[in-house]
Amino acid sequence: MRKTLFFTSALLLSSLLSFGQIPVKGLVAWYPFSNNALDYAGSNNGTVTGATLTTDRFGNPSSAYSFNGTNNKITLTNSSLVLDSSFSISTWISLNNLTAPTPDPCIISQ
């Protein structure tokens, strides 16, 4: 099964519940996945294709996304996010199964 996820799907389980963990200096996007894929730090909202809301790692309902591993994704259209300089991403990812590498195995794509 193909495991291709795009940039925002890298954030699929990055629902952050403790606001004290969110650094605000230089923050350009934040996706808590609170029933949606909206960017709470700006205007880089995601469009969900096929992925479904699920329970996050803390047991909070509709606070994470589940992907089928083939064609589910969250995309950013006309995003101001540019991945051509230094950046960091914090995420929690849970894999249900891990198969042999595919031709395009990625969790971030631009």
Side-chain angles (χ1 to χ4, degrees), residues 2-64:
R2 187 174 175 192
K3 294 284 183 188
T4 301
L5 303 176
F6 296 94
F7 170 73
T8 53
S9 41
L11 305 175
L12 69 102
L13 294 176
S14 66
S15 49
L16 301 171
L17 297 178
S18 174
F19 292 101
Q21 295 177 349
I22 309 301
V24 292
K25 183 178 180 183
L27 185 67
V28 295
W30 175 40
Y31 302 91
F33 298 137
S34 299
N35 293 307
N36 56 52
L38 298 179
D39 173 14
Y40 282 46
S43 60
N44 300 301
N45 296 330
T47 300
V48 179
T49 304
T52 56
L53 284 162
T54 188
T55 302
D56 72 7
R57 69 187 189 276
F58 298 116
N60 299 306
S62 299
S63 296

